[in-house]
Amino acid sequence: MSALSKIRSLLALRKVGEPRDPDDRRLGYPGKTMAGVYVTPDNAVQIAAVWACLRFLSQTVAVLPWNVLASDGAGAEVQKKHPVQWLIHTRPNPECSSFAFRETLTHWALRWGNGYAEIERDLAGRPFALWPIHPERVDPKRDINGALYFAVDNGSGQTVDIASADMFHIKGFGEGPVGVNVMDYAAQSLGWAKAVQMFGATFFGNGANLSGVVQKKGPFKPEPLQRLKLEFAKLFSGPRNSNKTAFLDDEMEWKPVGVNPKDSQLVDANYFLIEEICRWFGVPPHKIAHLLRATFSNIEHQAIEVVQDSVLPWVRRFEDEANYKLFGENRRGFFTKLELRGLLRGDFQSQVNGLKTLRDIGAVNAEEIREYLDMPPQPAGSGGEKYTMQGQYTTLDKVGEEPPKPVAPPPSTNEPDPAEETAQDELAAMAERAHVTAEA
């Protein structure tokens, strides 16, 4: 805590305290869902739609360029020599890249509601490295003064307390200083999806045959019944044993008792559950290859909307956390920015028209356009750094005025040179004499 923060805390007059355990569950552990299966942050990833949502959001945030910028009032420039630039743009620690760091923290925040990383500082208090910590090892707490800290399990039965200022914390959707566990709240939807998944798998695992009962007039004896079970399992279990014929004796009769996939609307349920899972993670279905309602006429605009509605909130979480904890309260104009421009690009023709409009109004020059398109600069002195615009533009205060009349050129004040006139006369006389001679 900085000296300024300490002074503010001494002068604070807050009357309401915070609970000592901010991570206290509001929703109890769901246990076995109504569908008859258990759901955890780990086994939920076995559902394809969950995997796809986690992959899309985490990798989209991870792939964006992340830079340190400084604003001097005339625009922002990337600070390539700032020590934080190396941490967020290239290598947060020796064991992972910036891409892997952001991908890990984002998908932890999506699965457990929180993504954590310890901020390792040097003797001067400057950030030196960022080390991800699995959410199951972290327990948010408050001390007797109400200050937030994190108790981290080191795996040896002992915990280490890390101050909030030294914990890079990406909080997902939730209330207060911690995010909620999405898997707890979505357990019933995810349990339904797992049940449908298991139903389809066991249906084909049983040779695509319905379950049923074998009836006979007399009672089954234990040994023949056990032998019959083994024969049925051997002959008809598995997709390779589908459509085989069973031979029953001793007046036995087979009666199916199951529901076939068509009557259970297995395919329709799968479609609905994909959209249901997308709602929990805030991902449009077309981004996880569910194109049932997508068309070529609206897919481009949907791609731009997903940046605003799905990706931008996670971008802001990273930027806000880095701005406060990696620079401190006295940032001196430094801030971080995840560049979203690449995700907002339309098709090439739309880009060309947009860049041409900016060039025509003098907002950008040719060199800036080449940089935007990742092209090398033109040779020095080629004029690409000059700003140009259309000549018909004028200021608003002159709109409607008559154009100025053209100004006549001033009369020439140069007097004829007598020597030049004499030379011209002599040349004309010589030409006339030569003409006369030629006629004679």
Side-chain angles (χ1 to χ4, degrees), residues 211-436:
S211 59
V213 296
V214 177
Q215 293 180 331
K216 66 185 298 290
K217 293 183 178 180
F220 280 102
K221 294 182 179 180
E223 292 184 0
L225 177 60
Q226 184 65 24
R227 185 174 64 253
L228 185 63
K229 289 181 179 180
L230 294 175
E231 290 179 354
F232 263 72
K234 181 179 180 181
L235 291 175
F236 304 109
S237 293
R240 296 179 182 273
N241 295 324
S242 60
N243 301 318
K244 287 188 176 181
T245 303
F247 297 92
L248 304 176
D249 58 3
D250 197 17
E251 299 183 356
M252 295 181 185
E253 183 179 359
W254 167 265
K255 289 186 177 181
V257 296
V259 179
N260 61 53
K262 181 178 180 181
D263 293 338
S264 64
Q265 297 182 329
L266 180 64
V267 175
D268 293 337
N270 266 306
Y271 285 156
F272 170 78
L273 288 170
I274 290 174
E275 298 176 358
E276 180 82 352
I277 292 171
C278 285
R279 294 187 188 102
W280 282 105
F281 290 99
V283 176
H286 73 273
K287 283 298 182 181
I288 63 169
H290 184 67
L291 304 176
L292 188 64
R293 294 179 177 85
T295 64
F296 288 106
S297 61
N298 65 3
I299 196 69
E300 180 182 343
H301 295 285
Q302 288 182 359
I304 295 176
E305 288 177 0
V306 73
V307 176
Q308 301 291 339
D309 301 334
S310 302
V311 180
L312 184 58
W314 292 101
V315 167
R316 288 300 304 272
R317 289 182 174 103
F318 275 90
E319 291 177 347
D320 291 346
E321 189 73 0
N323 291 345
Y324 181 69
K325 293 184 178 179
L326 298 185
F327 300 117
E329 296 183 18
N330 184 20
R331 297 198 312 233
R332 293 181 298 175
F334 293 112
F335 63 96
T336 70
K337 184 176 181 60
L338 282 155
E339 183 55 65
L340 289 167
R341 185 172 57 187
L343 298 179
L344 295 173
R345 293 181 180 179
D347 59 273
F348 185 73
Q349 185 60 42
S350 299
Q351 292 184 56
V352 170
N353 293 336
L355 293 173
K356 183 177 183 299
T357 301
L358 293 176
R359 180 76 185 279
D360 289 345
I361 63 175
V364 297
N365 58 34
E367 290 299 330
E368 291 170 336
I369 293 177
R370 294 178 67 86
E371 181 181 0
Y372 175 81
L373 297 175
D374 297 325
M375 298 174 64
Q378 298 180 11
S382 60
E385 71 283 357
K386 294 181 179 180
Y387 292 88
T388 60
M389 65 182 302
Q390 296 289 342
Q392 68 268 24
Y393 290 107
T394 184
T395 57
L396 291 177
D397 58 335
K398 293 184 179 180
V399 174
E401 293 183 359
E402 292 292 334
K405 297 181 179 180
V407 180
S412 176
T413 58
N414 296 331
E415 296 294 336
D417 188 0
E420 184 177 352
E421 290 183 351
T422 302
Q424 292 178 355
D425 293 341
E426 292 180 352
L427 289 174
M430 292 174 62
E432 185 178 357
R433 287 196 298 267
H435 180 68
V436 172

Side-chain angles (χ1 to χ4, degrees), residues 47-119:
I47 304 172
V50 174
W51 177 282
C53 288
L54 295 175
R55 182 190 61 204
F56 167 71
L57 286 175
S58 61
Q59 293 184 355
T60 302
V61 174
V63 77
L64 299 174
W66 195 10
N67 294 301
V68 174
L69 289 86
S71 178
D72 57 0
E77 293 185 1
V78 176
Q79 305 298 304
K80 296 182 179 180
K81 296 183 179 181
H82 197 284
V84 175
Q85 172 72 11
W86 172 263
L87 291 182
I88 65 174
H89 182 271
T90 307
R91 207 77 183 173
N93 64 69
E95 297 181 0
C96 73
S97 64
S98 176
F99 180 97
F101 174 79
R102 283 176 279 159
E103 182 184 37
T104 300
L105 261 65
T106 304
H107 98 259
W108 279 348
L110 287 165
R111 290 167 65 188
W112 280 274
N114 300 278
Y116 298 104
E118 180 186 359
I119 304 174

